[in-house]
Amino acid sequence: MIEVMIPNLYRDGEYRYILKIKSLDKAIDILENCDGGVKNVIIDCKDVNSLNENIGDIYGKISWIDKLIIKNKKNMVGIYNRNS
């Protein structure tokens, strides 16, 4: 079943979708089942192990994402833009 993405946040002229997950490697499974209606995703995850590998996998497998904002608890991990 495809999940329709409804933006949780509108800021700086961008709609954003907030995703709360346990670990970053689960993001691909969840995002593959989304409709891609929102191009900017904020991921709040408890575990950010293998960050660079997981970011590369997300951008490699999910073509509709333009920007990822990764957050861990109260800390901002990073903002990642797709390289065209």
Side-chain angles (χ1 to χ4, degrees):
M1 181 172 158
I2 300 296
E3 179 182 340
V4 176
M5 298 177 76
I6 299 170
N8 303 82
L9 180 65
Y10 181 79
R11 186 171 179 178
D12 298 332
E14 296 178 345
Y15 288 102
R16 299 175 187 185
Y17 179 75
I18 300 171
L19 177 63
K20 293 189 178 193
I21 56 176
K22 192 170 190 174
S23 65
L24 194 55
D25 59 348
K26 302 292 182 198
I28 294 172
D29 297 333
I30 295 168
L31 292 170
E32 282 180 329
N33 294 314
C34 292
D35 70 344
V38 181
K39 307 289 183 202
N40 306 302
V41 178
I42 299 170
I43 299 177
D44 185 0
C45 55
K46 293 181 182 178
D47 182 15
V48 290
N49 290 341
S50 304
L51 179 68
N52 291 333
E53 178 183 329
N54 286 315
I55 295 294
D57 287 347
I58 290 171
Y59 277 121
K61 294 180 181 178
I62 312 294
S63 62
W64 49 263
I65 291 180
D66 287 339
K67 184 185 295 180
L68 283 173
I69 299 172
I70 309 296
K71 182 178 170 279
N72 175 258
K73 299 175 185 168
K74 294 183 179 183
N75 301 316
M76 174 67 70
V77 176
I79 299 173
Y80 303 88
N81 291 308
R82 178 178 295 279
N83 294 333
S84 299

